[in-house]
Amino acid sequence: MATVFIHATVTLDGYMADVGGGVDWMSDVPTVAEDEAVVTTVMDRIGAVVGGANKSQTIDDGEEPYGGTLGVPVYLMTRSENEPIVKNGTTYTFVVDDIALAVAAAKKAAGDKWVSLLGGSISRQCLRLGLVDEIHLHVVPLLLGDGIPLFAGLGQRVDLERVETSGFSGEAHLRYRVLR
């Protein structure tokens, strides 16, 4: 059965994007081969993705999860009906207002691989519903001071068990299991 996990790169002060939603700061963080190996290992295990979309045009505008490189089914939460979009071999399915349905479909598509949850709102909704198995964070040595936080507004306690940690010159990699 698929493992559902939150996957994010965050700053040390907990932001996943700057105030305007930009993530350009991620490209400024130096990494070493060991950092890349951790990220590659995680990405190789992903069998489906659940994320957010304001409208279907985000795919056409290049806002594809993981840059469209994974080639796995992507389920995007939206508020209005849209036909699926196929781009570069990846099918983007739009799910209206039912995150549990999106996660269930992604789990079925992923099989025994992992379902990656992207974005703060998606992550918090899934945590509240008890749909998250693990949290994987890549913490970069940067303080933005302000921005879009990953977990702010969760509104509940979530107990975690540390599964794995590693750190190299560019990032600290944290993996936690959600305790139920």
Side-chain angles (χ1 to χ4, degrees):
M1 172 161 291
T3 297
V4 177
F5 77 111
I6 295 167
H7 190 216
T9 298
V10 296
T11 60
L12 186 59
D13 50 357
Y15 296 109
M16 59 181 195
D18 64 26
V19 175
V23 293
D24 293 344
W25 51 268
M26 285 186 196
S27 61
D28 295 337
V29 177
T31 61
V32 295
E34 292 87 352
D35 291 316
E36 299 296 327
V38 170
V39 174
T40 298
T41 298
V42 172
M43 291 179 61
D44 287 346
R45 293 179 179 162
I46 296 173
V49 175
V50 176
N54 293 326
K55 53 187 177 179
S56 61
Q57 288 77 19
T58 59
I59 303 306
D60 294 329
D61 293 342
E63 293 184 32
E64 302 157 80
Y66 297 101
T69 61
L70 292 181
V72 300
V74 176
Y75 298 85
L76 297 173
M77 297 306 303
T78 185
R79 300 219 183 274
S80 59
E81 295 284 338
N82 292 288
E83 289 298 316
I85 293 174
V86 178
K87 182 176 180 184
N88 298 326
T90 298
T91 300
Y92 298 87
T93 302
F94 298 90
V95 180
V96 179
D97 295 331
D98 190 342
I99 191 77
L101 177 66
V103 171
K107 286 176 73 170
K108 184 176 180 181
D112 62 350
K113 293 189 109 182
W114 293 355
V115 173
S116 176
L117 303 175
L118 299 179
S121 177
I122 299 295
S123 297
R124 291 186 301 272
Q125 289 176 63
C126 289
L127 279 167
R128 285 185 205 112
L129 292 171
L131 301 174
V132 178
D133 299 308
E134 294 188 3
I135 298 172
H136 297 221
L137 300 177
H138 309 288
V139 182
V140 299
L142 173 68
L143 299 172
L144 282 179
D146 198 7
I148 300 173
L150 181 57
F151 295 115
L154 178 60
Q156 71 183 55
R157 177 180 168 154
V158 177
D159 291 321
L160 306 171
E161 174 186 24
R162 185 175 56 84
V163 174
E164 184 178 8
T165 59
S166 60
F168 306 102
S169 76
E171 302 174 25
H173 307 280
L174 311 174
R175 180 178 173 195
Y176 295 95
R177 181 175 298 113
V178 176
L179 299 176
R180 293 187 173 86

